[in-house]
Amino acid sequence: MPREITAYSNPLIKRMRSLREKRHRREEGLFLAEGLRILTEAREAGRIPQFLFFARDSAAHPLVLALVDAVEAAGGEAIETIPDILSKLSGKDNPQAVVGVFAEFTRTLDSLDRDSAAIWLVAERMRDPGNLGTILRTGDAVGAGGLILIGECVDPFSVEAVRASMGALFTVPVVQCEWEAFVPWLRGGAGQLVGLSLDTMTDYRAATYRAPTFLLTGNEAQGMPNAYAAECDTLVKIPMLGKADSLNAAVATAVMAYQVLGGQPGT
């Protein structure tokens, strides 16, 4: 049976609230996710939180009941609480009805099956959690095999990135690695590396894409380094017909992802 916590001074609440900081997430190996939709998608993907905090007035909701049952069956703990506690955990004035605390999960390059998907997303030094979360949502939408994060990227387990992913963090495999490890792995099998760049004359609609395509998006402010661009099999750009010189990184990735799928033979 769920226990009840209503005091902010409770040690468990203080401990869980600290997970909003990267240092504590790394120390604990845990992260926060909020919202009934996100936690339900996590449950359906086989990811069950170790702790589940839920609001009293949502306790009878069938999806909340399903989460409580799943958590308790997995040996976790379900805790009934009040909106103020949920707000402290999530950092939002108007918190969602549920907050889950999950064990961090990571993948390695060697665990990926490149032949399992026609498209893979690669982000280099992605710094904005909203962009990272949106790229994960795009990956889920296009059936990408996974998202490979290169270099010093924003933490995919930050509250903001998890929120922006709308559950895609639980459905799209994420690998974090350095460029020096990614390139040998990529060249060790089939795969076309396509880079988004302003320094090319090739329109993204004119290029030919071969599965599996690894779509590389560079840093939001600086783009990708010249050495990375030189490694790409193809560089493409999205024409800018107005005064803006480029699209937001996450938007450009979404546009390109659908173009890649439509441009691959047999798709």
Coordinates of all heavy atoms in Angstrom, one line a residue, residues 20-58:
R20 N 17.3 17.2 -9.3 CA 17.2 18.3 -10.3 C 18.6 18.8 -10.7 O 18.8 19.5 -11.7 CB 16.4 19.4 -9.8 CG 14.9 19.0 -9.7 CD 14.0 20.0 -8.9 NE 14.2 21.4 -9.4 CZ 13.7 22.4 -8.8 NH1 13.1 22.3 -7.7 NH2 13.8 23.6 -9.3
E21 N 19.6 18.5 -9.9 CA 21.0 18.9 -10.2 C 21.8 17.7 -10.8 O 21.7 16.6 -10.3 CB 21.7 19.4 -9.0 CG 21.0 20.6 -8.4 CD 21.7 21.1 -7.1 OE1 22.9 20.8 -6.9 OE2 21.1 21.9 -6.3
K22 N 22.6 18.0 -11.8 CA 23.3 16.9 -12.5 C 24.2 16.2 -11.6 O 24.4 14.9 -11.6 CB 24.1 17.5 -13.7 CG 24.8 16.5 -14.5 CD 25.5 17.1 -15.7 CE 26.3 16.1 -16.5 NZ 26.9 16.7 -17.7
R23 N 24.9 16.9 -10.7 CA 25.9 16.2 -9.8 C 25.2 15.2 -8.9 O 25.7 14.1 -8.8 CB 26.5 17.3 -8.9 CG 27.4 16.7 -7.8 CD 28.2 17.8 -7.1 NE 27.3 18.7 -6.4 CZ 26.9 18.5 -5.1 NH1 27.3 17.4 -4.4 NH2 26.1 19.3 -4.5
H24 N 24.0 15.5 -8.4 CA 23.3 14.5 -7.6 C 22.7 13.4 -8.4 O 22.7 12.2 -8.0 CB 22.2 15.2 -6.8 CG 22.7 16.1 -5.8 ND1 23.4 15.7 -4.6 CD2 22.7 17.5 -5.7 CE1 23.7 16.8 -3.9 NE2 23.3 17.9 -4.5
R25 N 22.3 13.7 -9.7 CA 21.8 12.6 -10.5 C 23.0 11.6 -10.8 O 22.7 10.4 -10.8 CB 21.3 13.1 -11.9 CG 20.0 13.9 -11.8 CD 19.4 14.1 -13.2 NE 20.2 14.9 -14.1 CZ 20.2 16.2 -14.1 NH1 19.4 16.9 -13.3 NH2 20.9 16.9 -15.0
R26 N 24.2 12.1 -11.0 CA 25.3 11.2 -11.2 C 25.6 10.4 -10.0 O 26.0 9.2 -10.1 CB 26.5 12.0 -11.7 CG 26.3 12.6 -13.1 CD 26.3 11.5 -14.1 NE 26.2 12.0 -15.5 CZ 25.0 12.1 -16.1 NH1 23.9 11.6 -15.6 NH2 25.0 12.5 -17.4
E27 N 25.6 11.0 -8.8 CA 25.9 10.3 -7.6 C 24.9 9.2 -7.3 O 25.2 8.1 -6.9 CB 25.9 11.3 -6.4 CG 27.1 12.3 -6.5 CD 27.1 13.3 -5.4 OE1 26.0 13.4 -4.7 OE2 28.0 14.1 -5.3
E28 N 23.6 9.5 -7.5 CA 22.5 8.6 -7.2 C 22.3 7.6 -8.4 O 21.7 6.5 -8.1 CB 21.3 9.3 -6.9 CG 21.3 10.2 -5.7 CD 20.9 9.5 -4.4 OE1 20.7 8.3 -4.5 OE2 20.8 10.2 -3.4
G29 N 22.6 8.0 -9.6 CA 22.2 7.1 -10.7 C 20.7 7.2 -11.0 O 20.2 6.2 -11.5
L30 N 20.1 8.3 -10.6 CA 18.6 8.4 -10.7 C 18.3 9.7 -11.4 O 19.1 10.7 -11.4 CB 18.0 8.4 -9.3 CG 18.2 7.1 -8.4 CD1 17.7 7.4 -7.0 CD2 17.5 5.9 -9.0
F31 N 17.1 9.8 -11.9 CA 16.6 11.0 -12.5 C 15.1 11.1 -12.4 O 14.4 10.1 -12.1 CB 17.0 11.1 -14.0 CG 16.2 10.2 -14.9 CD1 15.1 10.6 -15.7 CD2 16.6 8.9 -15.1 CE1 14.5 9.7 -16.5 CE2 16.0 8.0 -15.9 CZ 14.9 8.4 -16.6
L32 N 14.6 12.3 -12.5 CA 13.1 12.6 -12.4 C 12.4 12.7 -13.7 O 13.0 13.2 -14.7 CB 13.0 14.0 -11.7 CG 13.5 14.1 -10.2 CD1 13.6 15.5 -9.8 CD2 12.6 13.3 -9.3
A33 N 11.2 12.2 -13.7 CA 10.3 12.4 -14.9 C 8.9 12.7 -14.4 O 8.5 12.1 -13.4 CB 10.3 11.1 -15.8
E34 N 8.2 13.6 -15.0 CA 6.9 14.0 -14.5 C 5.9 13.9 -15.6 O 6.1 14.0 -16.7 CB 7.0 15.5 -14.0 CG 7.4 16.5 -15.1 CD 7.2 17.9 -14.6 OE1 6.2 18.2 -13.9 OE2 8.0 18.7 -15.1
G35 N 4.6 13.7 -15.1 CA 3.5 13.7 -16.0 C 3.0 12.3 -16.3 O 3.7 11.3 -16.4
L36 N 1.6 12.2 -16.2 CA 1.0 10.9 -16.4 C 1.3 10.3 -17.8 O 1.5 9.1 -17.9 CB -0.5 11.1 -16.2 CG -1.4 9.8 -16.1 CD1 -0.8 8.9 -15.0 CD2 -2.8 10.1 -15.8
R37 N 1.3 11.1 -18.8 CA 1.5 10.6 -20.1 C 3.0 10.0 -20.2 O 3.2 8.9 -20.8 CB 1.3 11.7 -21.2 CG 1.7 11.3 -22.6 CD 1.5 12.4 -23.6 NE 2.1 12.0 -24.9 CZ 2.1 12.8 -26.0 NH1 1.5 14.0 -25.9 NH2 2.6 12.4 -27.1
I38 N 3.9 10.8 -19.8 CA 5.3 10.3 -19.9 C 5.6 9.1 -19.1 O 6.2 8.1 -19.5 CB 6.3 11.5 -19.4 CG1 6.3 12.6 -20.4 CG2 7.7 11.0 -19.2 CD1 7.1 13.8 -20.0
L39 N 5.0 9.0 -17.8 CA 5.2 7.9 -17.0 C 4.5 6.6 -17.6 O 5.0 5.5 -17.4 CB 4.8 8.1 -15.6 CG 6.0 8.6 -14.7 CD1 6.5 10.0 -15.1 CD2 5.6 8.7 -13.2
T40 N 3.4 6.9 -18.2 CA 2.6 5.8 -18.8 C 3.4 5.2 -20.0 O 3.5 4.0 -20.2 CB 1.2 6.2 -19.2 OG1 0.5 6.6 -18.1 CG2 0.5 5.1 -19.9
E41 N 4.0 6.1 -20.8 CA 4.8 5.6 -21.9 C 6.0 4.9 -21.4 O 6.4 3.9 -22.0 CB 5.2 6.8 -22.8 CG 4.0 7.4 -23.6 CD 4.5 8.3 -24.8 OE1 5.7 8.2 -25.1 OE2 3.6 9.0 -25.3
A42 N 6.6 5.4 -20.3 CA 7.7 4.6 -19.7 C 7.3 3.2 -19.3 O 8.0 2.3 -19.6 CB 8.3 5.4 -18.5
R43 N 6.2 3.1 -18.6 CA 5.7 1.8 -18.2 C 5.5 0.9 -19.4 O 5.8 -0.3 -19.3 CB 4.4 2.0 -17.4 CG 3.7 0.7 -17.0 CD 2.5 0.9 -16.1 NE 1.5 1.6 -16.8 CZ 0.6 1.1 -17.7 NH1 0.6 -0.2 -17.9 NH2 -0.3 1.8 -18.3
E44 N 4.9 1.4 -20.4 CA 4.6 0.6 -21.6 C 5.9 0.2 -22.3 O 5.9 -0.8 -23.0 CB 3.7 1.4 -22.6 CG 2.3 1.6 -22.0 CD 1.4 2.5 -22.9 OE1 2.0 3.1 -23.8 OE2 0.2 2.5 -22.7
A45 N 6.9 1.0 -22.1 CA 8.2 0.6 -22.7 C 9.1 -0.3 -21.8 O 10.2 -0.6 -22.1 CB 9.0 1.9 -23.0
G46 N 8.5 -0.6 -20.6 CA 9.2 -1.5 -19.7 C 10.0 -0.8 -18.7 O 10.8 -1.4 -17.9
R47 N 9.9 0.5 -18.6 CA 10.7 1.3 -17.6 C 9.8 1.7 -16.4 O 8.9 2.4 -16.6 CB 11.3 2.6 -18.3 CG 12.2 2.3 -19.4 CD 13.5 1.8 -19.0 NE 14.4 1.7 -20.1 CZ 15.7 1.2 -20.0 NH1 16.2 0.8 -18.8 NH2 16.4 1.1 -21.1
I48 N 10.1 1.1 -15.3 CA 9.3 1.4 -14.1 C 10.1 2.2 -13.1 O 11.2 1.9 -12.8 CB 8.9 0.0 -13.4 CG1 8.2 -0.9 -14.5 CG2 7.9 0.3 -12.3 CD1 7.0 -0.4 -15.1
P49 N 9.5 3.3 -12.5 CA 10.2 4.1 -11.6 C 10.5 3.4 -10.3 O 9.7 2.5 -9.9 CB 9.3 5.3 -11.4 CG 7.9 4.8 -11.7 CD 8.1 3.8 -12.8
Q50 N 11.5 3.7 -9.6 CA 11.8 3.2 -8.3 C 10.9 3.8 -7.2 O 10.5 3.2 -6.2 CB 13.3 3.4 -7.9 CG 14.3 2.6 -8.8 CD 15.7 2.7 -8.3 OE1 16.0 3.3 -7.2 NE2 16.6 2.1 -9.0
F51 N 10.6 5.1 -7.4 CA 9.7 5.8 -6.6 C 8.6 6.5 -7.4 O 9.0 7.0 -8.5 CB 10.4 6.9 -5.7 CG 11.4 6.3 -4.8 CD1 12.8 6.2 -5.1 CD2 11.0 5.9 -3.5 CE1 13.7 5.7 -4.2 CE2 12.0 5.4 -2.6 CZ 13.3 5.3 -3.0
L52 N 7.4 6.5 -7.0 CA 6.3 7.2 -7.7 C 5.6 8.0 -6.7 O 5.1 7.6 -5.7 CB 5.3 6.1 -8.3 CG 4.1 6.7 -8.9 CD1 4.4 7.4 -10.2 CD2 3.0 5.7 -9.1
F53 N 5.6 9.3 -7.0 CA 4.9 10.3 -6.1 C 3.6 10.7 -6.9 O 3.7 11.1 -8.1 CB 5.8 11.5 -5.9 CG 7.0 11.2 -5.1 CD1 8.2 10.8 -5.7 CD2 7.0 11.3 -3.7 CE1 9.3 10.5 -5.0 CE2 8.2 11.0 -3.0 CZ 9.3 10.6 -3.6
F54 N 2.5 10.7 -6.3 CA 1.3 11.1 -7.0 C 0.4 11.9 -6.0 O 0.4 11.7 -4.8 CB 0.5 9.8 -7.5 CG 0.1 8.9 -6.4 CD1 -1.2 8.9 -5.9 CD2 0.9 7.9 -5.9 CE1 -1.7 8.0 -4.9 CE2 0.5 7.0 -4.9 CZ -0.8 7.1 -4.4
A55 N -0.4 12.8 -6.6 CA -1.3 13.6 -5.9 C -2.5 12.9 -5.4 O -3.0 11.9 -6.0 CB -1.8 14.8 -6.8
R56 N -3.0 13.3 -4.2 CA -4.1 12.6 -3.6 C -5.3 12.6 -4.5 O -6.0 11.6 -4.6 CB -4.5 13.4 -2.3 CG -3.6 13.2 -1.2 CD -3.9 14.1 0.0 NE -3.1 13.9 1.2 CZ -3.2 14.7 2.2 NH1 -3.9 15.8 2.2 NH2 -2.4 14.5 3.3
D57 N -5.6 13.7 -5.2 CA -6.8 13.8 -6.0 C -6.7 13.0 -7.3 O -7.7 13.0 -8.1 CB -7.2 15.3 -6.3 CG -6.1 16.0 -7.0 OD1 -5.1 15.4 -7.3 OD2 -6.3 17.3 -7.2
S58 N -5.6 12.4 -7.6 CA -5.4 11.6 -8.8 C -5.4 10.1 -8.5 O -5.2 9.3 -9.4 CB -4.2 12.0 -9.6 OG -3.0 11.6 -8.8

